[in-house]
């Protein structure tokens, strides 16, 4: 199955000049959704991964079923004020300003092996911050997987870990 055919491209959304990749059309197609989860899980099957890590919100949609497929736990990365226990934080710069990502302080231990899953790799800022958050805990990022990669933005060059993507777009 060609997953790129299941992703709608909406021009000029959310603003003029942006070509938005809408995965909701893929998610509603049960066979395409299963194939996307299988494709994201496959490169991790022989990596001895302890946890899948994913940033909110679309990362959760793909990260949770990948964790289930692999029979391992899932750890959410959230925005400020969304986690009830003690957290650790990483700040990062975005196109317009800065943001922070949080994880429960004791979710990971030194030596844990994790994979990060998200829907889309563009400039890499959010995933670089997620990678730094995992490193801050003493865990190791083994691989980072994306359903979609916008290759011309070169986001993977910002990341320290092995990156794979299922569908690639050039701008």
């Amino acid at each position: 199955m060609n997953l790129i055919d299941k992703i709608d491209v909406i021009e000029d959304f959310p603003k003029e000049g942006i070509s938005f990749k809408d995965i909701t059309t893929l998610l509603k197609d049960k066979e395409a959704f299963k194939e996307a989860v299988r494709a994201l899980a496959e490169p991790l099957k022989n990596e001895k991964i302890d946890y899948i890590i994913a940033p909110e919100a679309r990362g959760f949609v793909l990260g949770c079923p990948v964790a289930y497929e692999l029979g391992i736990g899932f750890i959410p990365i959230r925005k400020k004020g969304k986690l009830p226990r003690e957290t650790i934080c990483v700040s990062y710069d975005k196109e317009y300003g800065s943001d922070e990502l949080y994880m429960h302080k004791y979710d990971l231990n030194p030596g844990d092996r994790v994979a990060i899953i998200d829907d889309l790799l563009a400039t890499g800022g959010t995933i670089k911050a997620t990678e730094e958050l995992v490193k801050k805990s003493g865990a190791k990022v083994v691989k980072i997987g994306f359903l979609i990669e916008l290759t011309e933005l070169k986001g993977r060059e910002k990341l320290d870990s092995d990156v794979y993507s299922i569908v690639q777009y050039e701008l």
Side-chain angles (χ1 to χ4, degrees), residues 28-94:
K28 77 176 188 176
D29 180 321
K30 65 183 177 186
E31 295 305 320
F33 188 27
K34 280 196 271 188
E35 176 58 22
V37 170
R38 187 209 58 75
L40 284 165
E42 187 62 34
L44 306 175
K45 286 190 173 174
N46 296 316
E47 294 289 345
K48 297 180 180 152
I49 304 294
D50 298 304
Y51 302 101
I52 295 295
I53 307 287
E56 62 177 81
R58 289 183 305 243
F60 293 3
V61 173
L62 295 168
C64 285
V66 169
Y68 180 82
E69 176 83 9
L70 296 172
I72 60 176
F74 175 82
I75 297 172
I77 303 299
R78 305 292 315 261
K79 301 280 179 150
K80 186 175 185 171
K82 301 290 185 179
L83 294 171
R85 292 181 279 121
E86 187 177 355
T87 59
I88 57 175
C89 171
V90 170
S91 298
Y92 67 103
D93 292 326
K94 294 174 29 172

Side-chain angles (χ1 to χ4, degrees), residues 127-147:
I127 294 303
K128 179 64 177 173
T130 302
E131 189 179 44
E132 293 303 317
L133 197 54
V134 170
K135 288 178 185 178
K136 194 173 185 177
S137 74
K140 175 179 176 37
V141 178
V142 176
K143 285 190 184 283
I144 305 174
F146 300 93
L147 177 60

Side-chain angles (χ1 to χ4, degrees), residues 10-21:
I10 312 299
E11 298 300 335
D12 298 321
F13 182 83
K15 64 181 186 176
E16 191 170 332
I18 302 291
S19 179
F20 186 81
K21 310 311 183 251

